[in-house]
């Protein structure tokens, strides 16, 4: 088994862009750009996971979606609260 751990991208600050709670913090423009770059790098080295797991935090879910968009074939995303801690 091979496990690849990717931390979420850079998120907006609390209180900006509609982020009234920590869970609402989405990726910043730079966070989206760097996450896409990282996902493309994983695809370039042949990373082909079976599934993407994400916490329900907005920034983590958005990171998972960006990874999904770059990895071929498209992968299922499973959200789990176990990744909140």
């Amino acid at each position: 088994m091979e496990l690849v751990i990717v931390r979420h991208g850079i998120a907006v600050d609390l209180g900006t862009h509609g982020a009234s709670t920590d869970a609402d913090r989405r990726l910043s423009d730079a966070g989206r750009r760097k996450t896409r770059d990282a996902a493309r790098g994983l695809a370039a080295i042949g990373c082909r996971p079976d599934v993407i797991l994400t916490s329900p935090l907005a920034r983590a879910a958005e990171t998972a979606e960006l990874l999904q968009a770059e990895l071929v074939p498209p992968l299922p995303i499973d959200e789990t609260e176990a990744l909140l801690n």
Side-chain angles (χ1 to χ4, degrees), residues 15-28:
T16 62
H17 303 282
S20 58
T21 68
D22 184 56
D24 295 333
R25 293 174 53 223
R26 298 193 56 81
L27 296 180
S28 65

Side-chain angles (χ1 to χ4, degrees), residues 33-82:
R33 186 179 65 254
K34 290 180 178 190
T35 299
R36 271 191 215 95
D37 289 346
R40 288 178 185 140
L42 287 171
I45 64 168
C47 181
R48 300 288 183 264
D50 294 322
V51 67
I52 298 172
L53 300 175
T54 184
S55 79
L57 298 176
R59 60 193 175 270
E62 191 175 0
T63 297
E65 290 167 2
L66 291 169
L67 286 168
Q68 181 187 49
E70 295 297 331
L71 298 175
V72 177
L75 303 167
I77 296 176
D78 288 342
E79 184 178 286
T80 176
E81 290 191 15

